[in-house]
Amino acid sequence: MSFPLNEEHRMIEAMVRDFAREQILPGAAERDRTGRFPKEILAQMAELGLLGMTVPQEYGGAGVDSISYCLALKEVAYACASTAVIMSVHNSVACGPIYQFGSDYQKEVYLKRLAKGELLGCFALTEASAGSDPASQRAVAEKRDGYYVINGTKVFITNGKNADVAVVTAYTSKEKKHKGISAFIVEKGANGFSVGKIEDKMGLRASDTAELIFEDVRVPLENRLGDEGDGFKIAMISLDGGRIGIASQAIGIATACLDAAVNYSKQRIQFGRPISQFQAIRWMIADMATEIEASLLLTLSAAHLKDQGRPFTKEASMAKLFASEMAQRAAYKALQIHGGYGYMKDFPVERYYRDVRVLTIYEGTSEIQRTVISREVLGA
Ligand code: CAA
């Protein structure tokens, strides 16, 4: 990898690689089969500082840069894509907005415990009729008797069932369109806040995806994140960071696909020789390796811009678009190289193929990423 990584980056990458391959990878297939949430693993990850990676140490985090975060996330994803999305959502779109927009009180009460891994976070923006178009959401937060009273239903919320704290968006004044959306920190135990349908998914089966229902949920005024009307921007800015995380997740899964394909192709004998000696296979492997490298460079470059406090919206979308589509191709090729065996659950590529599919959909579909990129390129 030619990106200029420093000593700390390399140390973090190596540390997380060892941990992920020793502690996370061995149970990944079993968790995929049973859908068991990796609670014990998250406790270990908390010890290693992986649940508040870019949050400064004064707020309980590890205080490392976004490049280190990407390197760590790709290593976790290599071992278990489900664990990686839990980590990504918790870090990028739960800790992220509270650190960036939270008050001192919110940082003290929520961020410190989230960053230490004592609490798990989720991000509740999406609704049944508001996916790519979050401004069309219907949830409302009405100011009443010294509280915000939230009503609405959020869907497809990663960590929704297991999270202790949710960053939730809702309209405080509908007539202002997206400028009337506000963000709130809502605790799981709040009266009227319940978990609805738990989705039965194609992949990422050890990470929960849930409906969150808000029925007259009273939220203290001090739990509003940012000013009234800031919610849409907070969501968009947080998603910029989140998209670098999903790109890293894609790179981790694609690398696992590449390694599986390399190993299998060296062992599988057909026509009297390992299939790795056939040009058709070699070219697929060459393309996978090249595209993984390109994705990593795009992702680390976006992370570097973020670390420097420079604009990175376009670059985050480019990284997410390219890496998530690249990972589809990598999973396809890895399965193809495995032939019939790849279609069976005995080999991990079957899981990679399912896990990777959602990456071009969540945290903004490929079509939304192209919308963001084209607006920036065309200036309109
Ligand atoms: N940074 C800062 N501000 C931003 C911004 C960004 N990246 N993107 C938009 N904004 C601001 C704009 O500047 C504008 O501000 P003003 O009103 O002050 O001018 C405002 O937000 C509205 O912007 P747009 O007019 O561009 O808004 P839009 O309604 O056309 O939508 C969009 C733009 C890019 C399509 C956006 O809606 C979008 O990203 N949609 C995808 C939503 C998404 O990614 N959902 C993922 C759900 S979470 C998830 O998946 C997590 C998980 O479980 C893994």
Side-chain angles (χ1 to χ4, degrees):
M1 228 281 290
S2 55
F3 196 87
L5 299 179
N6 63 30
E7 201 50 41
E8 187 183 55
H9 294 142
R10 291 192 190 283
M11 254 176 52
I12 290 171
E13 185 183 36
M15 181 273 284
V16 181
R17 179 174 298 169
D18 289 348
F19 164 73
R21 297 199 187 178
E22 281 162 26
Q23 305 294 331
I24 304 181
L25 192 147
E30 171 72 4
R31 287 191 299 276
D32 171 61
R33 199 174 58 74
T34 59
R36 196 169 63 78
F37 189 75
K39 198 164 185 256
E40 304 78 18
I41 287 171
L42 291 175
Q44 289 176 284
M45 287 168 67
E47 291 282 313
L48 294 175
L50 301 180
L51 297 186
M53 280 198 81
T54 58
V55 174
Q57 290 177 355
E58 59 177 308
Y59 297 121
V64 299
D65 63 13
S66 303
I67 291 181
S68 304
Y69 171 53
C70 291
L71 296 170
L73 198 41
K74 83 175 167 62
E75 292 305 328
V76 172
Y78 181 99
C80 174
S82 293
T83 306
V85 74
I86 299 166
M87 173 180 167
S88 182
V89 164
H90 175 85
N91 275 277
S92 296
V93 288
C95 291
I98 301 178
Y99 171 55
Q100 205 172 344
F101 301 99
S103 63
D104 290 345
Y105 162 80
Q106 291 164 352
K107 287 180 180 150
E108 189 60 39
V109 172
Y110 297 108
L111 185 60
K112 278 191 175 171
R113 296 184 64 200
L114 284 162
K116 286 184 195 158
E118 292 167 9
L119 300 176
L120 187 69
C122 69
F123 176 68
L125 173 75
T126 301
E127 297 183 9
S129 54
S132 290
D133 177 17
S136 67
Q137 66 187 267
R138 292 186 185 155
V140 289
E142 222 184 308
K143 223 180 209 171
R144 220 192 286 159
D145 305 329
Y147 288 90
Y148 285 100
V149 180
I150 301 187
N151 279 288
T153 301
K154 301 289 178 177
V155 300
F156 298 163
I157 307 305
T158 302
N159 296 349
K161 174 173 166 244
N162 288 288
D164 307 285
V165 167
V167 172
V168 182
T169 59
Y171 269 101
T172 39
S173 53
K174 190 77 193 172
E175 60 287 356
K176 292 188 185 160
K177 306 219 165 118
H178 68 270
K179 286 192 160 93
I181 296 176
S182 302
F184 303 90
I185 303 171
V186 186
E187 293 182 28
K188 193 52 107 14
N191 268 342
F193 179 9
S194 59
V195 176
K197 183 182 176 208
I198 310 292
E199 301 296 343
D200 188 7
K201 297 174 295 182
M202 174 183 190
L204 300 183
R205 295 186 61 82
S207 111
D208 63 287
T209 302
E211 180 184 46
L212 296 182
I213 301 165
F214 301 84
E215 288 170 312
D216 287 331
V217 179
R218 293 206 310 179
V219 176
L221 298 184
E222 61 265 28
N223 280 31
R224 191 192 63 228
L225 198 51
D227 288 332
E228 263 195 22
D230 280 354
F232 192 82
K233 271 209 173 142
I234 290 175
M236 290 301 116
I237 291 169
S238 306
L239 281 167
D240 284 345
R243 287 166 185 167
I244 302 179
I246 302 305
S248 308
Q249 187 195 19
I251 293 162
I253 305 171
T255 308
C257 289
L258 174 64
D259 285 359
V262 166
N263 289 337
Y264 183 83
S265 66
K266 284 183 176 171
Q267 285 162 23
R268 175 71 171 168
I269 310 288
Q270 291 290 276
F271 304 102
R273 49 189 171 135
I275 61 169
S276 61
Q277 291 181 11
F278 291 105
Q279 191 179 55
I281 305 297
R282 299 179 77 84
W283 284 15
M284 280 199 258
I285 284 174
D287 285 347
M288 289 163 81
T290 305
E291 292 192 345
I292 289 170
E293 183 79 6
S295 301
L296 190 54
L297 292 173
L298 270 178
T299 304
L300 295 185
S301 162
H304 182 60
L305 288 175
K306 181 172 193 285
D307 286 333
Q308 293 192 323
R310 290 162 58 190
F312 68 102
T313 297
K314 179 183 73 185
E315 289 76 8
S317 281
M318 286 176 164
K320 201 271 185 182
L321 171 66
F322 190 80
S324 62
E325 296 202 338
M326 172 283 294
Q328 313 299 316
R329 295 190 287 273
Y332 179 92
K333 289 188 179 105
L335 199 149
Q336 191 69 17
I337 289 170
H338 281 70
Y341 289 106
Y343 197 63
M344 308 304 160
K345 289 194 182 284
D346 300 335
F347 285 82
V349 290
E350 183 271 342
R351 168 165 51 91
Y352 303 152
Y353 194 79
R354 287 183 288 106
D355 282 347
V356 88
R357 187 60 191 88
V358 74
L359 271 66
T360 59
I361 298 170
Y362 63 23
E363 301 222 6
T365 61
S366 286
E367 293 69 33
I368 288 297
Q369 308 311 329
R370 289 187 171 94
T371 301
V372 172
I373 297 163
S374 60
R375 279 182 184 180
E376 295 244 357
V377 171
L378 292 161

